[in-house]
C-alpha cells in the first residue's frame, strides 16, 4: 500500500490536536478533548473524526501514513504534578546531598528571598545511598567500587518499593566502569526496574547538573514508558507500517524505544516543535526573525528565532530542577483560553495561572465549570460566536459566561460586566507581553525587528493586541494555527544529540588527535543510530559544537564548529570564534588569556521529506460573499461597542483585504483584527496582518 498521508498528534492540556497532511498538499485539522489519564482515548476520538471526514476506516488511514508523530505533555505533567516514579539514587559517598545543596543558592530572582521555599526533592534523603569508590579527573581509579554497599543499597530499595534507580558517580564521565558495574548489580537484584546512569543521560562535567538530570530522567521514564507502550501498541493494532515517532525537547523526532529510556528529553515535547513551524510559515515572506506564540487552553508558549536559528538551552533550572540536556528555549506562562479569572483578597483582578483545563473547562462549555475564564470573557466581548466553535461541535453558553463574569469579577469590583470582561482580556494580554519581552528585550533583541507568528486555538483573538503592545508591525496566522505544534511535528527531522567531556587546554599542549577521534566517535554513534532508524547516508547530516571557557572561569559558552579535521590553523579560528561569542554574550573578551575546552557535542539529523504546500487559487468570491454576519464587539474599556463584520475564513479568497475591526472565523480558531490593522489571506494558506501606516 502506497503512503498517502502523514499524521501529527499533539496532546495538550485541554485539547489533543491532529494534523493530517496529504501528498496532494492538502492539510486537514482536527481536535478532541485531552484525556490525561489515558492519551489513547483522545487519540481514538480524533482518529474517529478523521475517519468520518475522509470516509475511510481508521485502519486504512493509518496504514497509508508514512509517519505518525506524537508530541506529548506526559513527562511535563508528571513533573508538574509530582506523579513520577519512586526513585532511589546511588551516588559517590559524601555527595548524597548535592541535589539538595544544588549550586549553593536559590534560583535567580529568589536568591535573597528568605521566604522562598526550598525545591521539592524527587529523591528523599533516605533513598540517596552513598557508595564508596572513586574515579579521578584523569579517569584513573583511586578507590575500587564497593559492590557490597551497592548490594546493600539495592536491598533497601526493594524494601522501600523503589520503582526506578538513578546512578551518578563523581568523574564517571572520564571512566564509566563504576556506573556500569553498579547498573549490572541493580538489574541483577531488581529485574525489570528502570535504571539509568549519569554517563548515559547527560555525560558532561558538572556533577550536580548531571546527577539532577539523571534523577529527573529516572523519575519520568517509567511514566513515559507506560505511555509509549500504550501508544505504540494501539498504532500497531491499526497496522501502522513504520514506528511511531515522538517529539523531543531539542526540536527533533525520536522513536519510542529511545524515548522510553530518555524521558528527560520529552519534557518540552509539545511546544518544542513551534519554532520549526514558525520558520516554515515565515519563509515565503523572506522573514527569518520570528517570535512564535502559542496560546492554547492551558498555557502560553513563546519561542524566539533570530536569523533562522532557534536558541537551545542547556544546564537550566526547569520547574526548579536542573536539566542538562538540550532543550528548545521556550518561555511558558499560565495564560490560556482556560485561565481562570478571579478577584483576590486584595481586591485585585488575577488571570491565571490556574486553568480550567479540559475538564471542566470554561463555564461556557457547559461541562460543570463555574469560574470564569479568558474564553468566557472573549465570548462576552463578542469575539466568539456560540455557533462557530470547533466547527460547531461545541456550542457555547453565552448566558452562563455572562453570569459567571458578573458574579466572580464585575460585582466584587463594582464595575459593569463589559468592563470586567475587557479587564480580563487586557490583563491576560499584558501577562503575555511580559513573557514576550523576557525572550526578546531582556536578551538583547528588539521585538520590533520580529514578526509574530500566531499559534494555538485562542491566540488569534489576542494576537493583534499583543503586536500593538510590543511594536511589531507584521503578524502571521497560518490556517493551521490551532494545531500548530502538531503541524510543526510533521515537518521536523529526526534529531539526536551526543555529548562527551574532553577537558583540555587549547594551546600548544592540546591533543588534537584525541579531540578529532572523540568527535568522530560521536558522529559514528549517531550515524549508526540513524541508519538503524532507516535513514540513508545521504539523508544524514552532522553539526558540531564545543563548550569552552577562559581558564579559571566557572561557566562555559558554546561555539559552533565546522566538520572535518581540526588542525592547528583551524584551532586558531575556533579560538577567535570563542572570543567573539564571549564578547557577544558578556560584552568583553580576553584574547590574551588561555582557553580550555570542557565538553564537545555533535548533533545528528536524519532529514525527513516535507509534505508539499498547496497553493490557493482565487475562486472569484468577493468580500461580501465571505461575510456571515455583523455583531457588536468591544475593543476598549469605555463601553464603546462597535458593529463588526465577521467573515468565514473558508470563503475568503487569497488577496482580499479585510480592514479592522473585523473577525475571521476558522473552524478551530477566531482571528480578531483590531482597528488600525489589515488582514489578507496569502496563497500559502497563511493570513498576513499588518499595521496600517
Amino acid at each position: 500500500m502506497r503512503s498517502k498521508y502523514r499524521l501529527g498528534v499533539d496532546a495538550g492540556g485541554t485539547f489533543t490536536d491532529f494534523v493530517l497532511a496529504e501528498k496532494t498538499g492538502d492539510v486537514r485539522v482536527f481536535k478532541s478533548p485531552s484525556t490525561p489519564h489515558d492519551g489513547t482515548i483522545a487519540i481514538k476520538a480524533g482518529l474517529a473524526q478523521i475517519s468520518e471526514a475522509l470516509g475511510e476506516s481508521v485502519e486504512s488511514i493509518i496504514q497509508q501514513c508514512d509517519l505518525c508523530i506524537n508530541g506529548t505533555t506526559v513527562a511535563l505533567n508528571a513533573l508538574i504534578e509530582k506523579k513520577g516514579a519512586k526513585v532511589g539514587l546511588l551516588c559517590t559517598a559524601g555527595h548524597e546531598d548535592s541535589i539538595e545543596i544544588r549550586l549553593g543558592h536559590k534560583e535567580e530572582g529568589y536568591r535573597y528571598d528568605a521566604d522562598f521555599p526550598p525545591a521539592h526533592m524527587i529523591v528523599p534523603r533516605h533513598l540517596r545511598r552513598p557508595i564508596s569508590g572513586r574515579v579521578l579527573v584523569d579517569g584513573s581509579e583511586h578507590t575500587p567500587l564497593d559492590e557490597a554497599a551497592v548490594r546493600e543499597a539495592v536491598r533497601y530499595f526493594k524494601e522501600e518499593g523503589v520503582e526506578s534507580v538513578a546512578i551518578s558517580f563523581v568523574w564517571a564521565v572520564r571512566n564509566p566502569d563504576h556506573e556500569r558495574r553498579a547498573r549490572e548489580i541493580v538489574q541483577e537484584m531488581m529485574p525489570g526496574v528502570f535504571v539509568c546512569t549519569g554517563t548515559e543521560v547527560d555525560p558532561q562535567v558538572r556533577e550536580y547538573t548531571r546527577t539532577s538530570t539523571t534523577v529527573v530522567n529516572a523519575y519520568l521514564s517509567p511514566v513515559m514508558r507506560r505511555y509509549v507502550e500504550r501508544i505504540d501498541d494501539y498504532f500497531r493494532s491499526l497496522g501502522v507500517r513504520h514506528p511511531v515517532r515522538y517529539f523531543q525537547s531539542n526540536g527533533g523526532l525520536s522513536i519510542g524505544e529511545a524515548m522510553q529510556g530518555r524521558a528527560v528529553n520529552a519534557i518540552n515535547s509539545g511546544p518544542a516543535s513551534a519554532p520549526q513551524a514558525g520558520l516554515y510559515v515565515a519563509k515565503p515572506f523572506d522573514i527569518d526573525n520570528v517570535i512564535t506564540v502559542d496560546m492554547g487552553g492551558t498555557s502560553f508558549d513563546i519561542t524566539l528565532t533570530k536569523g533562522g536559528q532557534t536558541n537551545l538551552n542547556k544546564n537550566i533550572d526547569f520547574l526548579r530542577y536542573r536539566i542538562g540536556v538540550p532543550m528548545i528555549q521556550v518561555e511558558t506562562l499560565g495564560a490560556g483560553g482556560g485561565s481562570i479569572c478571579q478577584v483576590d483578597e486584595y481586591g485585585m483582578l488575577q488571570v491565571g495561572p490556574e486553568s480550567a483545563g479540559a475538564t471542566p473547562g470554561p463555564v461556557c462549555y457547559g461541562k460543570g465549570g463555574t469560574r470564569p475564564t479568558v474564553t468566557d470573557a472573549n465570548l462576552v466581548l463578542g469575539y466568539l460566536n456560540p455557533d462557530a466553535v470547533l466547527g460547531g461541535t461545541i456550542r457555547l453558553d453565552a448566558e452562563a459566561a455572562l453570569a459567571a463574569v458578573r458574579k466572580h469579577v464585575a460585582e466584587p469590583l463594582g464595575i459593569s460586566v463589559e468592563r470586567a470582561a475587557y479587564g480580563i482580556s487586557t490583563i491576560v494580554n499584558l501577562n503575555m507581553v511580559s513573557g514576550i519581552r523576557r525572550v526578546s528585550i531582556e536578551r538583547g533583541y528588539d521585538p520590533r525587528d520580529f514578526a509574530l507568528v500566531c499559534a494555538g486555538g485562542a491566540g488569534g483573538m489576542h494576537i493583534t493586541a499583543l503586536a500593538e503592545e510590543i511594536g511589531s508591525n507584521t503578524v502571521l496566522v497560518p490556517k493551521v494555527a490551532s494545531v500548530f505544534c502538531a503541524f510543526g511535528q510533521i515537518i521536523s527531522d529526526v534529531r539526536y544529540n551526543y555529548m562527551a567531556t574532553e577537558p583540555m587546554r587549547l594551546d600548544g599542549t592540546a591533543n588534537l588527535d584525541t579531540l578529532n577521534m572523540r568527535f568522530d566517535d560521536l558522529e559514528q554513534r549517531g550515524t549508526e543510530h540513524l541508519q538503524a532508524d532507516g535513514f540513508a547516508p545521504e539523508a544524514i547530516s552532522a553539526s558540531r559544537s564545543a563548550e569552552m571557557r577562559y581558564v579559571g572561569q566557572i561557566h562555559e559558552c558554546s561555539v559552533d564548529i565546522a566538520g572535518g579535521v581540526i588542525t592547528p590553523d583551524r584551532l586558531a579560528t575556533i579560538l577567535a570564534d570563542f572570543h567573539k561569542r564571549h564578547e557577544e554574550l558578556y560584552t568583553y573578551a580576553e584574547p590574551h588569556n588561555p582557553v580550555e575546552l570542557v565538553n564537545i557535542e555533535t548533533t545528528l539529523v536524519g532529514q525527513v521529506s516535507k509534505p508539499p504546500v498547496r497553493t490557493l487559487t482565487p475562486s472569484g468570491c468577493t468580500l461580501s460573499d465571505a461575510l456571515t454576519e455583523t455583531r457588536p464587539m468591544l475593543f476598549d474599556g469605555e463601553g464603546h461597542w462597535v458593529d463588526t463584520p465577521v467573515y468565514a475564513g473558508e470563503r475568503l479568497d487569497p488577496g482580499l483585504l479585510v480592514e479592522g475591526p473585523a473577525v475571521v472565523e476558522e473552524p478551530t480558531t477566531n482571528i480578531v483584527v483590531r482597528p488600525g490593522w489589515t488582514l489578507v489571506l496569502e496563497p500559502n494558506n497563511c493570513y498576513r496582518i499588518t499595521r496600517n501606516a
Side-chain angles (χ1 to χ4, degrees):
M1 184 180 294
R2 294 181 61 187
S3 296
K4 183 179 179 182
Y5 306 114
R6 180 171 297 173
L7 175 68
V9 181
D10 181 56
T14 304
F15 288 102
T16 295
D17 300 335
F18 300 80
V19 168
L20 189 73
E22 301 187 34
K23 296 297 183 181
T24 59
D26 288 332
V27 175
R28 296 171 179 257
V29 302
F30 303 87
K31 281 179 173 282
S32 67
S34 291
T35 51
H37 62 286
D38 185 353
T40 60
I41 296 175
I43 291 176
K44 289 176 182 177
L47 291 179
Q49 293 180 35
I50 297 173
S51 174
E52 182 178 357
L54 270 61
E56 295 185 61
S57 69
V58 171
E59 290 80 1
S60 174
I61 295 168
I62 295 302
Q63 290 166 20
Q64 294 181 76
C65 286
D66 62 355
L67 280 179
C68 296
I69 304 158
N70 183 218
T72 175
T73 56
V74 166
L76 176 62
N77 291 341
L79 194 59
I80 292 172
E81 299 170 10
K82 308 294 188 294
K83 292 182 178 179
K86 188 172 185 178
V87 179
L89 171 65
L90 299 180
C91 57
T92 301
H95 290 255
E96 302 94 303
D97 296 319
S98 68
I99 61 172
E100 198 151 2
I101 296 172
R102 309 170 81 189
L103 296 176
H105 56 73
K106 299 176 182 179
E107 294 95 328
E108 291 297 332
Y110 300 96
R111 187 168 294 188
Y112 305 108
D113 185 350
D115 296 325
F116 190 61
H120 173 266
M121 290 294 104
I122 287 176
V123 186
R125 182 63 173 78
H126 70 100
L127 292 179
R128 305 174 216 151
R129 310 306 290 179
I131 306 298
S132 296
R134 192 64 180 259
V135 170
L136 300 181
V137 63
D138 62 359
S140 63
E141 182 183 76
H142 180 270
T143 308
L145 177 70
D146 187 348
E147 295 191 11
V150 175
R151 293 183 182 277
E152 181 183 349
V154 174
R155 282 191 288 270
Y156 183 73
F157 289 164
K158 292 172 70 174
E159 293 172 3
E160 291 294 318
V162 163
E163 303 166 299
S164 184
V165 177
I167 304 172
S168 180
F169 295 149
V170 172
W171 286 114
V173 291
R174 300 295 286 155
N175 180 351
D177 287 349
H178 285 187
E179 285 192 351
R180 290 171 179 167
R181 179 56 186 149
R183 178 189 181 115
E184 290 173 358
I185 294 172
V186 174
Q187 291 173 328
E188 169 197 326
M189 297 181 65
M190 299 180 72
V193 75
F194 179 81
V195 191
C196 61
T197 67
T199 49
E200 296 170 321
V201 176
D202 188 28
Q204 65 159 318
V205 168
R206 295 196 182 285
E207 183 258 347
Y208 160 62
T209 298
R210 186 173 67 255
T211 302
S212 175
T213 306
T214 307
V215 165
V216 171
N217 188 70
Y219 186 66
L220 300 178
S221 287
V223 178
M224 193 69 185
R225 174 182 287 179
R226 291 191 290 270
Y227 175 81
V228 169
E229 287 175 348
R230 282 198 301 267
I231 299 299
D232 283 357
D233 288 346
Y234 174 62
F235 276 95
R236 275 194 293 266
S237 73
L238 300 176
V240 67
R241 297 164 53 211
H242 305 282
V244 176
R245 301 283 183 181
Y246 294 84
F247 210 80
Q248 302 180 91
S249 303
N250 66 1
L253 305 175
S254 173
I255 60 174
E257 182 180 352
M259 293 297 281
Q260 289 183 46
R262 297 290 183 275
V264 71
N265 292 336
I267 289 176
N268 255 2
S269 172
S273 61
Q276 186 81 359
L279 278 175
Y280 186 87
V281 165
K283 185 176 180 180
F285 304 103
D286 293 325
I287 296 174
D288 59 5
N289 286 353
V290 171
I291 299 174
T292 303
V293 295
D294 186 344
M295 185 182 185
T298 305
S299 63
F300 181 71
D301 299 317
I302 315 158
T303 56
L304 183 144
T305 301
K306 170 71 172 177
Q309 297 295 319
T310 303
N311 290 336
L312 283 171
N313 269 334
K314 286 196 307 184
N315 306 330
I316 62 167
D317 290 313
F318 185 87
L319 295 174
R320 307 199 68 189
Y321 300 104
R322 178 54 62 105
I323 305 294
V325 297
M327 301 169 62
I328 292 289
Q329 199 171 59
V330 180
E331 182 83 16
T332 299
L333 311 176
S339 293
I340 291 173
C341 318
Q342 56 192 335
V343 178
D344 65 19
E345 64 269 28
Y346 303 107
M348 303 291 289
L349 176 59
Q350 302 292 336
V351 181
E354 185 182 0
S355 173
T359 304
V363 174
C364 60
Y365 280 16
K367 294 183 177 181
T370 58
R371 293 186 291 173
T373 66
V374 172
T375 296
D376 296 306
N378 285 332
L379 183 57
V380 172
L381 294 172
Y383 302 161
L384 286 168
N385 179 352
D387 298 319
V389 177
L390 295 185
T393 59
I394 297 179
R395 179 175 176 80
L396 304 185
D397 188 338
E399 291 301 319
L402 190 71
V405 173
R406 177 183 290 112
K407 176 182 177 181
H408 292 278
V409 180
E411 291 178 353
L413 293 177
I415 59 178
S416 68
V417 176
E418 294 81 4
R419 190 173 181 184
Y422 191 78
I424 291 169
S425 178
T426 300
I427 288 176
V428 76
N429 287 344
L430 291 176
N431 290 344
M432 292 187 286
V433 165
S434 295
I436 295 172
R437 286 174 175 155
R438 278 196 293 276
V439 306
S440 56
I441 294 173
E442 292 183 14
R443 294 172 185 166
Y445 302 113
D446 188 338
R448 293 173 296 183
D449 297 333
F450 292 76
L452 274 186
V453 175
C454 173
M461 287 176 284
H462 299 263
I463 194 65
T464 49
L466 300 182
E468 285 181 357
E469 285 290 336
I470 68 171
S472 177
N473 294 317
T474 302
V475 171
L476 303 176
V477 187
K479 285 263 191 176
V480 294
S482 67
V483 291
F484 204 54
C485 287
F487 177 75
Q489 291 162 14
I490 68 172
I491 61 171
S492 295
D493 298 317
V494 174
R495 184 183 302 268
Y496 296 119
N497 295 88
Y498 297 86
M499 175 179 282
T501 291
E502 195 58 52
M504 67 171 67
R505 292 274 291 260
L506 296 179
D507 51 22
T509 65
N511 190 333
L512 297 186
D513 290 339
T514 297
L515 185 57
N516 284 312
M517 181 183 68
R518 294 301 298 274
F519 267 122
D520 290 343
D521 287 345
L522 294 180
E523 291 181 8
Q524 181 63 29
R525 284 172 53 198
T527 299
E528 291 174 355
H529 197 164
L530 288 170
Q531 287 178 338
D533 286 354
F535 287 93
E538 60 270 18
I540 298 174
S541 61
S543 59
R544 297 175 172 183
S545 63
E547 292 183 342
M548 304 157 64
R549 65 189 181 191
Y550 293 115
V551 173
Q553 277 189 313
I554 296 175
H555 299 292
E556 307 85 41
C557 64
S558 182
V559 178
D560 292 333
I561 297 175
V565 177
I566 299 176
T567 62
D569 287 343
R570 285 202 56 215
L571 179 60
T573 302
I574 292 169
L575 289 172
D577 290 342
F578 165 75
H579 296 308
K580 178 182 178 183
R581 181 61 179 154
H582 195 280
E583 187 164 14
E584 290 173 349
L585 289 172
Y586 306 113
T587 72
Y588 75 96
E590 299 178 348
H592 56 284
N593 277 347
V595 176
E596 63 182 352
L597 177 67
V598 181
N599 299 309
I600 62 173
E601 186 170 6
T602 297
T603 300
L604 274 294
V605 175
Q607 296 169 351
V608 176
S609 61
K610 309 298 186 287
V613 178
R614 185 173 69 88
T615 302
L616 296 175
T617 55
S619 64
C621 290
T622 65
L623 204 56
S624 298
D625 295 326
L627 182 68
T628 60
E629 64 171 322
T630 299
R631 63 175 183 261
M633 299 183 195
L634 192 62
F635 297 100
D636 61 43
E638 305 302 321
H640 300 140
W641 290 89
V642 180
D643 288 333
T644 304
V646 179
Y647 300 95
E650 295 175 305
R651 298 184 206 164
L652 277 178
D653 262 4
L656 292 176
L657 297 181
V658 176
E659 298 286 345
V663 168
V664 175
E665 293 180 341
E666 285 287 335
T668 56
T669 190
N670 278 12
I671 304 169
V672 173
V673 186
R674 290 178 63 83
W677 293 78
T678 299
L679 173 146
V680 61
L681 176 61
E682 299 290 354
N684 67 331
N685 279 280
C686 180
Y687 293 104
R688 180 164 55 92
I689 312 174
T690 53
R691 193 195 302 262
N692 296 340

